[in-house]
Amino acid sequence: MNSRSTSRSKPQALRMRMKEEARAAILDAAEQVLAEQGLQAARMDDIAARVGVSVGTLYNYFEDRQQLLEALRDVRGGELLAQLDAELERSQPSPYRARLHGFLRCILDYSRTHFRLFSLLLENSLQRDTSREGELDRHLKMWREVSLRLEHLGQQGVKEGALRPEDASHYPAMLLDMTHGLVLRQLLAKQPVPTDELLAPLLRCFLDGAAPR
């Protein structure tokens, strides 16, 4: 590579990084404004004012509020997957039960941190034809990624004797349905529940069953 191409690539990389940082700042501001004002009351002007840019600049990144909402959902979903991967990496030397505890805690904690946003996204999806616009497909793709991680983790549980091997193919779906159900119930009730109140019974029911011993 010659010196001219190198010198051109540096400003381009800098502009790209600045654009990505601006987009992230807009999404953070949007989440704050939406949480405070609600889905119907929040305006693009309010979001632009919060982040400190003109509304015209905001529209350079997102053509309307719906596109901004979809970007928020995708970015927060990606963040959750990154946190789950970091937790799996961190807990690698630990036994299955401890790793599963950390994995599920990540999901529940993240849902609680962004509780208001996820409530609004659920409200928005219930008001729209999600199947027509591909929102359901993107949602399912996100949870398939989580399921793949649970499937890999479950292989460790089988090897350690913590899980029965004959039912291994069903464990990711069962765990996800249980976890998703707990999160969805909170969102519909608009009332977050402390993670520990959900995590302990979730792990007990999955690992030990609900029947009295």
Side-chain angles (χ1 to χ4, degrees):
M1 181 180 292
N2 60 45
S3 59
R4 286 186 179 181
S5 61
T6 302
S7 63
R8 284 198 300 268
S9 65
K10 287 182 178 179
Q12 289 173 352
L14 177 60
R15 284 195 295 271
M16 182 63 69
R17 187 169 71 249
M18 291 175 65
K19 187 174 182 179
E20 290 172 353
E21 290 173 353
R23 187 176 188 272
I26 289 170
L27 290 175
D28 287 343
E31 182 170 354
Q32 294 170 13
V33 171
L34 287 165
E36 293 168 6
Q37 300 182 12
L39 194 60
Q40 301 305 320
R43 302 179 307 155
M44 296 290 272
D45 303 68
D46 300 322
I47 296 168
R50 179 65 59 92
V51 78
V53 299
S54 69
V55 71
T57 298
L58 191 64
Y59 280 113
N60 286 336
Y61 288 88
F62 305 102
E63 64 183 29
D64 55 27
R65 190 175 59 174
Q66 184 59 36
Q67 190 182 79
L68 191 150
L69 278 173
E70 291 171 2
L72 257 177
R73 181 200 54 237
D74 293 343
V75 166
R76 297 299 180 245
E79 288 175 352
L80 174 58
L81 291 177
Q83 288 192 16
L84 291 174
D85 287 339
E87 170 61 23
L88 289 172
E89 179 68 22
R90 182 201 64 78
S91 66
Q92 208 163 28
S94 302
Y96 170 73
R97 284 176 177 257
R99 298 189 75 198
L100 181 63
H101 181 281
F103 189 93
L104 295 177
R105 176 176 286 281
C106 264
I107 296 176
L108 295 174
D109 280 346
Y110 196 80
S111 299
R112 186 173 171 83
T113 298
H114 298 281
F115 185 82
R116 181 60 176 155
L117 171 65
F118 294 150
S119 295
L120 293 171
L121 290 174
L122 176 62
E123 176 186 337
N124 182 62
S125 67
L126 292 175
Q127 293 172 354
R128 296 169 57 83
D129 183 356
T130 56
S131 61
R132 185 185 65 189
E133 303 197 16
E135 293 179 23
L136 181 60
D137 288 340
R138 288 193 292 269
H139 179 78
L140 292 175
K141 181 179 179 181
M142 158 69 186
W143 285 104
R144 277 196 295 270
E145 289 294 324
V146 179
S147 180
L148 288 173
R149 288 156 174 79
L150 277 173
E151 182 180 347
H152 182 73
L153 187 58
Q155 293 171 4
Q156 178 184 352
V158 170
K159 288 179 181 177
E160 293 179 3
L163 299 175
R164 293 190 301 272
E166 61 268 25
D167 298 324
S169 62
H170 300 295
Y171 294 145
M174 293 168 66
L175 259 174
L176 277 182
D177 286 349
M178 293 167 69
T179 306
H180 191 261
L182 290 173
V183 173
L184 184 61
R185 184 182 66 180
Q186 297 175 76
L187 295 177
L188 290 172
K190 300 186 184 301
Q191 182 61 52
V193 178
T195 296
D196 287 334
E197 289 186 21
L198 301 172
L199 186 56
L202 175 60
L203 286 166
R204 277 199 305 271
C205 286
F206 178 72
L207 292 172
D208 304 320
R213 298 171 191 161

